[in-house]
Amino acid sequence: MSAIIEVSGVAKTFRQPKRLPGMGGALRSLFSRQFTEVRAVQDVSFTIAPGEAVGYLGPNGAGKSTMIKMMTGILVPSAGTLSVLGREPHAHRMTNAAEIGVVFGQRSQLWWDLPVRDSFDLHRHIYEVPEARFAENLAFLTSMLGMADYLDRPVRQLSLGQRMRAEIAMALLHDPKILFLDEPTIGLDVVAKDAVRKFLARINRERGTTIILTTHDLQDIEEICPRLIMVDDGKLLFDGELPRLRSALGSRRRLRLEFGTDPGPINLTTARLVTDDGAAKHFLLDSEDTSILDVLTELGNGYDLKDVTLEEPAIEEVIRTFYQSKPQLAATTP
Amino acid sequence: MKARAYAAFTVNALQTRLTYRHTIWAGAFGDLVFIFARIAIWVSVYGAAGAASAANGVTLPEMITYSLLAGPLLYWDYSRLLADVGTAIRSGDVAVYLLKPLHYPAYLAASHLGHFLFELAASTVPVAVIILLVFGLQPPASLFHGLAFLAYWPLSFMILFTLATLLGLAAFWLMTVQSLDWFFNAIMTLLSGGMVPLWFFPGWLAAIAGHLPFAWISYYPAAVYLGKLEPGQTLLYFGIGLVWLAVLLASLAWLWSRARDRLIVQGG
Ligand SMILES: Nc1ncnc2c1ncn2[C@@H]1O[C@H](COP(=O)(O)OP(=O)(O)OP(=O)(O)O)[C@@H](O)[C@H]1O
Ligand SMILES: [Mg+2]
């Protein structure tokens, strides 16, 4: 099997009856057939192979949640074809649901009034997980996510971080082939975020569970997902690995050379001089392949070099320039 | 169908209610006041006509038993069901149920059976015991009628459940079902015979009400218990009730599929 998820030319347009303001407007809109259209997803295509971990990134309203809902079968695409585990998700809702796990950061799937353990037990019945397998998974997830302390507490008493860990654990109890997470780290503190990231990366690595997650937090992607899909305004902007995004954007590394005395102008072929403050000079490395050694070799020994620093462009920086310029990149699958 | 999963929902609803069991006292007390008021009405009606009189061949002790059966036992409080469905729809949580390999209406039926059983044990039975001690209650008219009642009871539960769920799903299209709920409850209390048995209705109204599904909620089961239907009629009306249930279940399946389509096409 090559692809576990195939999305081709998928679009989703929401049609909402136009609401006119005021009481009279409310009455008129009862009879009017006017609609406002929101194009939440437009012509998106990608494929995902089993075992991949993919980060789905984009600003607010970019259509990330909409895409997740379509892949999990609770929203029907307006155009294009979508196949998850070889099936059209919404047409085979029950079978699809049994083989995937879903976590919505904004919406709890646990039973509010029940202890976490009871929610898990209900889940076992709904997904018909064999008893032995369930016990094994529960023990593993409880220790991995450090849930032992609050397994018997009602969900409504849990902190956000505790609840999110329970949500993720529940989504994995039936050994889903794919785990979809819509903003799993939203509202978590640094420690909880770190725990969730490490856990997801491990599940992906050790169990081979395919992971697709949406996020606004780039660190999620750096730590969990080798592959990044970037969307904006419903359209696909980039699909590939994070380092490739850097080079595709031409986001160059910056090299700072500091000398004991001002050596005067320096011209190099491996690095381009951008600012010259006399004793401190800043260069840009235009090529990804250039190493510091190349630059220093070219520079030679004739200088009183005191310090060398190389700065990788911050990923946030890269993404920000990306959104602002919105370049038309050829979206290619790795 | 995953029978085990749905059974687990029933058990869970029961357990959840047990953890909030202190809230039952208000409910049980309300039930008690309500049924005492009804019985007081029948006592004064019969009292005016003379103690030993039997209106339409029905005696006062029979009316007291009827009030208990047709009231809290059969015409259970479905407002929790309406609230559950309404909240799930308005908050969008209904999508969560679509994410699971579950049939939402079946889930509702299973969990509200749990609520019903809890209220039966914690409120209806204690109220019945008090009525028994204060006024006395009639046993079933015969073994046949007693057994027939046991068959009519789940039928009644399912018909009321289906009607209430249909009403709840209307929240998909209407912003609020509150006014609708008020109207529906008034109609249903009348036509089900939950307040006044059909045998006190004017002939034409009794004829209409006797063939609408509402009558299977309260009137028929209670009338069967008291032996007001011949064995032949008991079986015949049970059959008609089953047909009504099938019609209602089909309507529910249809309405739910419309609601689900709306949800997954329009996004709520
Ligand atoms: N049910 C709906 N009806 C109408 N419009 C909708 C509906 N759901 C989403 N939209 C619109 O579609 C667009 C994409 O929404 P979506 O929730 O997919 O964004 P997102 O990328 O998840 O954003 P965020 O990062 O804020 O969660 C938005 O403009 C949103 O208003
Ligand atoms: Mg979203």
Side-chain angles (χ1 to χ4, degrees):
Chain A
M1 192 161 87
S2 55
I4 200 165
I5 296 176
E6 277 186 77
V7 174
S8 113
V10 163
K12 179 73 200 178
T13 305
F14 291 107
R15 284 179 87 213
Q16 298 261 296
K18 244 194 194 119
R19 289 251 156 71
L20 303 165
M23 190 64 197
L27 270 178
R28 255 183 299 144
S29 54
L30 269 180
F31 302 100
S32 91
R33 290 286 100 194
Q34 283 186 309
F35 291 94
T36 29
E37 293 204 335
V38 181
R39 304 224 245 158
V41 172
Q42 300 178 50
D43 192 26
V44 169
S45 306
F46 56 82
T47 58
I48 292 173
E52 272 197 273
V54 180
Y56 209 81
L57 188 81
N60 289 129
K64 303 179 298 293
S65 300
T66 305
M67 194 67 215
I68 295 278
K69 285 178 187 163
M70 289 194 281
M71 290 191 283
T72 52
I74 57 172
L75 209 52
V76 187
S78 318
T81 56
L82 196 124
S83 135
V84 172
L85 293 156
R87 286 181 297 258
E88 208 184 340
H90 74 89
H92 301 91
R93 185 179 69 81
M94 291 269 199
T95 4
N96 186 52
E99 294 190 8
I100 62 172
V102 190
V103 176
F104 281 113
Q106 316 264 33
R107 180 154 280 158
S108 178
Q109 296 187 57
L110 295 155
W111 271 264
W112 204 242
D113 287 326
L114 298 179
V116 178
R117 192 190 292 281
D118 290 11
S119 267
F120 287 178
D121 214 49
L122 273 181
H123 190 89
R124 168 168 78 87
H125 288 298
I126 299 172
Y127 289 82
E128 297 177 307
V129 187
E131 194 115 17
R133 181 63 189 154
F134 175 78
E136 206 176 302
N137 273 342
L138 182 63
F140 171 76
L141 294 166
T142 305
S143 75
M144 273 295 295
L145 287 163
M147 298 188 301
D149 301 342
Y150 57 86
L151 217 46
D152 293 302
R153 296 239 307 270
V155 174
R156 70 191 134 77
Q157 293 178 1
L158 301 186
S159 78
L160 183 63
Q162 292 171 330
R163 183 173 69 72
M164 197 58 72
R165 278 180 275 169
E167 301 272 358
I168 294 172
M170 187 161 86
L172 286 166
L173 282 171
H174 57 287
D175 293 310
K177 299 198 175 79
I178 312 175
L179 181 62
F180 294 95
L181 305 114
D182 192 8
E183 304 196 33
T185 55
I186 193 164
L188 301 191
D189 69 20
V190 197
V191 181
K193 268 186 183 169
D194 191 55
V196 165
R197 285 178 189 138
K198 289 220 164 68
F199 173 76
L200 289 176
R202 181 165 169 198
I203 286 289
N204 173 246
R205 209 171 47 237
E206 290 180 7
R207 295 199 169 184
T209 309
T210 308
I211 291 181
I212 291 121
L213 68 87
T214 75
T215 183
H216 292 286
D217 192 329
L218 282 152
Q219 224 175 324
D220 287 351
I221 288 174
E222 286 188 299
E223 292 186 22
I224 310 165
C225 310
R227 179 174 163 199
L228 169 71
I229 292 180
M230 208 147 96
V231 286
D232 189 16
D233 253 347
K235 292 188 276 276
L236 197 104
L237 287 186
F238 174 82
D239 180 354
E241 304 197 336
L242 204 49
R244 224 185 48 117
L245 178 68
R246 284 205 179 99
S247 57
L249 281 171
S251 53
R252 284 144 294 212
R253 290 168 297 163
R254 185 180 271 267
L255 182 68
R256 183 171 182 274
L257 300 182
E258 204 180 321
F259 301 93
T261 49
D262 184 356
I266 294 176
N267 279 309
L268 297 170
T269 52
T270 44
R272 186 155 51 87
L273 184 69
V274 278
T275 33
D276 191 344
D277 298 333
K281 296 183 196 302
H282 294 258
F283 298 84
L284 280 179
L285 303 185
D286 287 324
S287 159
E288 282 284 309
D289 302 327
T290 310
S291 73
I292 308 184
L293 206 61
D294 296 336
V295 181
L296 295 184
T297 313
E298 195 190 350
L299 193 65
N301 288 331
Y303 295 98
D304 172 23
L305 192 55
K306 275 178 66 187
D307 197 14
V308 180
T309 41
L310 183 69
E311 290 166 6
E312 290 282 339
I315 185 68
E316 273 86 357
E317 182 73 33
V318 175
I319 304 278
R320 189 158 351 101
T321 47
F322 196 99
Y323 286 153
Q324 279 159 2
S325 59
K326 278 181 202 163
Q328 288 303 311
L329 282 184
T332 44
T333 8
Chain B
M1 277 289 164
K2 303 179 181 90
R4 292 288 300 280
Y6 293 102
F9 292 136
T10 306
V11 172
N12 247 296
L14 248 170
Q15 277 174 353
T16 311
R17 292 300 294 282
L18 277 171
T19 54
Y20 291 98
R21 59 184 167 276
H22 51 277
T23 61
I24 195 64
W25 292 111
F29 186 69
D31 273 358
L32 196 64
V33 169
F34 198 58
I35 192 133
F36 264 90
R38 288 208 217 181
I39 290 173
I41 294 172
W42 294 119
V43 169
S44 70
V45 167
Y46 276 83
S53 72
N56 291 21
V58 186
T59 62
L60 179 59
E62 283 177 332
M63 268 323 297
I64 290 171
T65 303
Y66 184 95
S67 300
L68 180 77
L69 294 180
L73 185 66
L74 296 165
Y75 195 86
W76 45 276
D77 181 12
Y78 57 85
S79 56
R80 179 183 291 270
L81 172 62
L82 280 187
D84 271 11
V85 179
T87 317
I89 292 172
R90 268 190 304 280
S91 68
D93 274 349
V94 65
V96 166
Y97 295 100
L98 288 180
L99 281 175
K100 301 177 196 286
L102 269 188
H103 189 61
Y104 181 59
Y107 157 76
L108 281 177
S111 68
H112 284 274
L113 177 62
H115 291 297
F116 170 79
L117 291 175
F118 173 76
E119 270 155 28
L120 179 69
S123 168
T124 314
V125 168
V127 166
V129 170
I130 294 172
I131 300 296
L132 176 71
L133 296 176
V134 177
F135 300 101
L137 286 170
Q138 299 283 302
S142 69
L143 180 61
F144 169 81
H145 286 106
L147 292 175
F149 173 77
L150 288 182
Y152 269 81
W153 191 4
L155 176 64
S156 153
F157 177 86
M158 282 309 293
I159 287 184
L160 182 53
F161 165 78
T162 313
L163 284 167
T165 309
L166 279 169
L167 183 69
L169 289 183
F172 265 106
W173 293 273
L174 305 169
M175 272 315 190
T176 165
V177 287
Q178 229 137 53
S179 51
L180 198 66
D181 171 28
W182 182 85
F183 172 77
F184 179 79
N185 194 20
I187 293 282
M188 207 159 73
T189 309
L190 175 72
L191 295 178
S192 67
M195 196 75 86
V196 179
L198 265 53
W199 56 67
F200 290 140
F201 283 20
W204 61 272
L205 187 57
I208 296 173
H211 291 91
L212 292 176
F214 311 108
W216 275 266
I217 298 169
S218 288
Y219 172 70
Y220 284 117
V224 163
Y225 179 94
L226 294 171
K228 300 299 170 192
L229 267 71
E230 304 288 309
Q233 272 184 317
T234 301
L235 295 177
L236 174 67
Y237 278 93
F238 189 72
I240 301 176
L242 285 180
V243 172
W244 265 124
L245 178 60
V247 170
L248 291 173
L249 284 175
S251 317
L252 179 58
W254 176 80
L255 196 70
W256 169 241
S257 79
R258 287 287 309 273
R260 198 182 51 210
D261 282 356
R262 183 190 155 100
L263 202 67
I264 68 173
V265 174
Q266 293 182 26

